[in-house]
């Protein structure tokens, strides 16, 4: 009896561990509706969502935010956090500082983050935690999202 329960428990654990519901690669996250209309990526134990401002590519430097949540979508506090966004646009590279901006947001300002074809590497260190990094390729859909700044969601 104990042997069959142990075998069943192992089988269930293996089935859950290999389930597509736990596959959080970029392809899977691209199929999910991001809560703020941005692009979702894994960053260690968290999800980052990069949201860029509508019309920023036409107006020079523009804000962008990164929302931080756990795997269940629960906001993770960014109080005391620090971060950077490295933006690769064409043959140029630039870096933008990320600062806490509300309950679970980090905010930066950059001209390059909104450029067509830009790649953005976000690194955030939450208070008392190891740094976590995610890579984004926002594309035109994410770059045209409306964005509200300066308040928690």
């Amino acid at each position: 009896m104990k042997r069959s329960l142990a075998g069943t428990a192992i089988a269930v654990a293996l089935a859950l561990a290999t389930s597509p519901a736990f596959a959080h690669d970029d392809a899977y996250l691209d199929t999910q509706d991001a809560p703020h209309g941005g692009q979702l990526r894994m960053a260690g134990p968290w999800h980052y969502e990069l949201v860029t401002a509508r019309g920023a590519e036409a107006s020079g430097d523009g804000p962008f935010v990164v929302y931080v949540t756990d795997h269940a979508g629960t906001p993770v506090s960014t109080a005391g956090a620090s971060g950077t966004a490295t933006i690769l646009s064409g043959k140029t590279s630039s870096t933008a500082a990320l600062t806490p901006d509300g309950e679970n947001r980090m905010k930066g300002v950059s001209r390059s983050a909104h450029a067509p074809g830009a790649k953005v590497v976000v690194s955030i260190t939450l208070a008392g935690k190891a740094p976590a990094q995610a890579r984004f390729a926002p594309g035109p859909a994410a770059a045209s999202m409306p964005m509200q700044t300066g308040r928690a969601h």
Side-chain angles (χ1 to χ4, degrees), residues 9-142:
I10 291 171
V12 168
L14 286 173
L16 289 174
T18 59
S19 168
F22 291 97
H24 286 244
D25 63 0
D26 290 350
Y28 171 76
L29 290 172
D30 283 341
T31 67
Q32 304 303 299
D33 288 331
H36 305 95
Q39 185 177 43
L40 287 170
R41 290 292 179 254
M42 285 291 304
W46 301 286
H47 286 168
Y48 292 169
E49 179 186 356
L50 175 67
V51 180
T52 58
R54 173 182 289 152
E57 61 276 357
S59 63
D61 287 351
F64 62 95
V65 295
V66 178
Y67 291 89
V68 182
T69 61
D70 66 13
H71 291 281
T74 304
V76 173
S77 175
T78 56
S82 62
T84 59
T86 302
I87 301 103
L88 309 169
S89 180
K91 294 182 180 183
T92 63
S93 171
S94 62
T95 302
L98 297 174
T99 56
D101 180 54
E103 178 188 4
N104 68 316
R105 295 168 25 134
M106 299 292 286
K107 181 180 179 182
V109 177
S110 171
R111 177 175 307 197
S112 303
H114 313 287
K119 307 288 189 247
V120 182
V121 180
V122 171
S123 179
I124 297 174
T125 304
L126 296 173
K129 306 289 183 189
Q133 191 176 83
R135 300 175 191 281
F136 296 87

